[in-house]
Amino acid sequence: MPPQHLTRSAEELLHVVESLHVMPFPQHEEKTADRWSGPGYHVAVLAESRDFWEDRSSEVVEEAEEGIEADRVGLAALLTERWGAPREVDLWPRSGHPDPHFRAPEPMNLLCGLAGSMQVWRPPASDRWIALAVGQADPEFPLHLLAAFGEGSALPQ
């Protein structure tokens, strides 16, 4: 059986967010096991549930959702204390563009493929925004708590 979700403290997650917030954006696309980066953005997996290949029962999925949501809520509270209330951004309208050849700029393209919405903070004295989202690539794949970082101009209005 795959390992269960291991919850990290909100303070540990905040430390990861702070580190990524100041990390320079690379000149070219880069991917590691838990981070996608490119010119003007980073997207990182902060927490991951088990996968659902062998068991997609409602109890198993609910337990995973609750664990990821607890991580999101705890971290969101610390980010809100620091930078004020977040703005909710609905990602679904951005994923269905009428032009079939349209591709949203990163990190929005990646986020639209994984999540339905995100909470966004704009730290003062920073030209970057920070977002939290819960996403899943497919029903059998793990749930992810994602942190996204982008240049101010990449954030949709």
Side-chain angles (χ1 to χ4, degrees):
M1 174 180 279
Q4 298 298 314
H5 169 77
L6 298 175
T7 301
R8 291 196 271 176
S9 74
E11 290 78 13
E12 290 172 305
L13 295 173
L14 180 61
H15 178 72
V16 174
V17 167
E18 289 171 334
S19 298
L20 288 166
H21 180 230
V22 297
M23 179 185 289
F25 295 129
Q27 295 292 321
H28 305 284
E29 302 278 323
E30 297 177 357
K31 185 175 180 193
T32 65
D34 62 353
R35 183 175 46 83
W36 300 268
S37 295
Y41 76 94
H42 298 297
V43 177
V45 176
L46 299 178
E48 180 178 88
S49 75
R50 60 169 286 166
D51 67 43
F52 306 104
W53 288 101
E54 294 183 19
D55 187 356
R56 182 129 179 91
S57 66
S58 59
E59 296 83 18
V60 168
V61 173
E62 253 179 55
E63 180 182 336
E65 289 172 341
E66 288 170 4
I68 293 292
E69 183 63 10
D71 287 344
R72 188 200 61 76
V73 167
L75 179 55
L78 293 177
L79 294 175
T80 298
E81 274 180 31
R82 182 169 287 183
W83 296 317
R87 181 177 133 208
E88 290 287 330
V89 175
D90 185 5
L91 297 171
W92 289 120
R94 290 162 179 64
S95 63
H97 197 275
D99 178 357
H101 302 291
F102 174 79
R103 181 179 162 147
E106 296 296 358
M108 298 310 295
N109 186 57
L110 178 61
L111 292 167
C112 287
L114 297 172
S117 65
M118 64 183 186
Q119 293 178 290
V120 179
W121 289 265
R122 298 217 38 148
S126 175
D127 61 347
R128 295 183 179 193
W129 52 267
I130 297 171
L132 294 181
V134 173
Q136 185 178 29
D138 242 350
E140 297 82 14
F141 290 173
L143 293 162
H144 291 129
L145 173 58
L146 303 166
F149 306 81
E151 293 176 335
S153 60
L155 184 63
Q157 297 304 318

